[in-house]
Amino acid sequence: MKSKELSVELRDRIVSRHKSGEGYRKISTALKVPMSTVASIIHKWKKFEITRTLPRAGWPSKLSDRGRRALVRKVTKNPMVTLSELQRSYMERGEPSRRTTISAAIHQSGLYGRVARRKPLLSKRHMAAHLEFAKWHLKDSQTMRNKILWSDETKIELFGVNARRHVWRKPGTAHHQANTIPTVKHGGGSIMLVMVWGCFAASGPGRLAVIDGTMNSTAYQKILKENVRPSVHQLKLKRSWVLQQENDPKHTSKSTSEWLKKNKMKTLEWPSQSPDLNPIEMLWHDLKKAIHARKPSNKAELQQFCKDEWAKIPPERCKRLIASYRKCLIAVIAAKGCPTSY
């Protein structure tokens, strides 16, 4: 049986006693270490001036340095390339193609396979608008933020989340644009999912509405009519409350703008493609997690679970989200308008 390695401290003591003039036998007896081990440690110290275990060479890599550099360049250029695709390209060139060989070489360069985050598709114009919004509202008081009624739509799938994609990336780069899957908001539903509209404020969750059919300006105005005012009264928002809504075409259409003006609903100016700035995204995450844990078996159950779990969201959770909103704005500024972890 292989014996346990000596600690670095004990090895240093062996070398220290050797330096003071003690012989191998005396050191062996005093420290209760085999004389052959004492001799080996002192020999290594004389040769390498170190007592720590030297790195083992292991089995020689079948990949050449040139092949390794080419592999890293390919993965860096296309972070979403799969191991199977890399393996096929190496086989076509007649080079070593074991998956373990390829993945080990990638890992040695500091890149690891991780699930790609889904983030909005951003143009330079979007990033500039995000940055301007964050800078402008960074100075808002907490009282002002508490008066906002945050709203949004989302889709909840019957059988879990969309298929996942993996990406090769370095630690701490999950939200870099090259390592994310671009997404865009769109309406509509199917037998496999439910579309919902919801709202909340610092005082708690507001109403949740299930969207039947295609979401257009008319359907959106009906949702606002049936849910916004009741939510404002339920959450006890003051007269100077403001409605936040995404910058979607059905939200900003001429008919919707006229409807909002007629019903005296003041809205918060909002940049396009900016879920990172909307704290309701955190509640959507909580809602989907709770619903999938209950495993709905059909669309009717899914709709009912949506309403049940939304009603269970604690007001304290909403309060904390709005209290920490300043951190979200600071993160957007630090990322210069690019996607963040929010």
Side-chain angles (χ1 to χ4, degrees):
M1 180 182 290
K2 186 177 178 180
S3 60
K4 188 177 179 181
E5 285 190 348
L6 299 184
S7 66
V8 175
E9 181 188 0
L10 184 54
R11 296 179 197 187
D12 289 341
R13 286 169 63 190
I14 291 171
V15 171
S16 178
R17 284 175 173 264
H18 172 70
K19 286 180 179 179
S20 65
E22 292 186 14
Y24 291 3
R25 190 181 299 278
K26 188 174 181 181
I27 295 173
S28 174
T29 304
L31 300 179
K32 297 179 180 179
V33 176
M35 195 162 63
S36 59
T37 303
V38 172
S40 177
I41 290 171
I42 293 172
H43 174 73
K44 184 170 72 173
W45 172 76
K46 287 179 178 179
K47 186 175 180 180
F48 300 107
E49 297 184 353
I50 191 172
T51 58
R52 297 176 183 273
T53 302
L54 295 171
R56 274 81 167 182
W59 191 266
S61 175
K62 291 188 176 182
L63 272 178
S64 64
D65 290 341
R66 184 178 179 181
R68 193 184 305 275
R69 289 194 299 270
L71 177 63
V72 172
R73 279 198 305 272
K74 188 166 187 175
V75 170
T76 304
K77 188 176 180 180
N78 181 15
M80 293 191 186
V81 65
T82 65
L83 265 179
S84 297
E85 291 169 343
L86 292 170
Q87 190 177 26
R88 279 197 299 271
S89 68
Y90 270 80
M91 286 177 68
E92 289 168 2
R93 295 202 302 265
E95 296 183 25
S97 57
R98 289 187 63 181
R99 293 169 67 91
T100 51
T101 302
I102 295 170
S103 61
I106 296 172
H107 293 165
Q108 286 170 5
S109 68
L111 298 166
Y112 300 90
R114 298 290 185 266
V115 175
R117 310 291 175 90
R118 294 182 177 272
K119 287 294 177 179
L121 179 62
L122 299 180
S123 65
K124 290 183 179 180
R125 180 175 57 83
H126 291 140
M127 295 178 198
H130 291 179
L131 187 59
E132 183 182 358
F133 178 92
K135 288 180 177 179
W136 179 260
H137 290 280
L138 188 64
K139 58 188 177 184
D140 289 352
S141 66
Q142 194 59 44
T143 304
M144 289 177 67
R145 293 185 186 127
N146 290 346
K147 294 177 181 178
I148 299 174
L149 183 69
W150 305 88
S151 69
D152 190 22
E153 301 97 38
T154 192
K155 60 182 179 182
I156 302 175
E157 298 181 358
L158 183 59
F159 301 113
V161 298
N162 290 327
R164 300 189 300 178
R165 284 290 304 275
H166 285 75
V167 62
W168 297 104
R169 64 172 177 82
K170 292 187 177 182
T173 63
H175 301 282
H176 288 191
Q177 201 159 10
N179 299 333
T180 60
I181 298 175
T183 61
V184 291
K185 291 237 173 188
H186 58 276
S190 74
I191 196 169
M192 303 297 288
L193 60 84
V194 167
M195 289 282 293
V196 295
W197 174 94
C199 64
F200 89 104
S203 49
R207 287 197 171 189
L208 184 84
V210 176
I211 301 167
D212 293 321
T214 303
M215 182 73 153
N216 53 29
S217 296
T218 304
Y220 180 63
Q221 291 161 31
K222 184 182 178 183
I223 286 174
L224 294 180
K225 181 180 179 180
E226 295 176 353
N227 296 281
V228 171
R229 295 281 181 192
S231 295
V232 168
H233 294 312
Q234 173 189 326
L235 299 171
K236 298 179 180 178
L237 297 180
K238 297 181 180 179
R239 285 186 178 181
S240 55
W241 64 273
V242 178
L243 173 66
Q244 178 277 331
Q245 59 178 2
E246 295 286 337
N247 203 4
D248 188 277
K250 56 184 170 285
H251 300 168
T252 57
S253 66
K254 184 178 179 181
S255 63
T256 300
S257 299
E258 289 175 353
W259 188 93
L260 289 167
K261 186 176 180 180
K262 181 181 176 181
N263 287 273
K264 298 179 180 178
M265 290 187 187
K266 185 180 178 183
T267 58
L268 183 68
E269 286 192 25
W270 196 255
S272 300
Q273 286 286 84
S274 52
D276 285 6
L277 290 168
N278 195 344
I280 201 172
E281 294 293 334
M282 299 292 187
L283 295 187
W284 289 146
H285 174 77
D286 295 349
L287 179 66
K288 292 172 183 178
K289 189 175 179 181
I291 290 169
H292 293 148
R294 294 181 65 177
K295 296 181 172 62
S297 58
N298 54 59
K299 195 169 182 177
E301 275 191 358
L302 181 60
Q303 290 179 349
Q304 188 58 50
F305 290 174
C306 286
K307 295 174 182 178
D308 294 345
E309 297 302 328
W310 182 260
K312 292 178 185 177
I313 294 175
E316 188 60 32
R317 167 66 166 154
C318 301
K319 183 179 179 180
R320 287 198 305 269
L321 281 177
I322 304 306
S324 63
Y325 190 63
R326 180 180 170 82
K327 293 180 181 178
C328 169
L329 297 178
I330 291 172
V332 171
I333 294 171
K336 298 181 180 179
C338 292
T340 68
S341 58
Y342 286 86

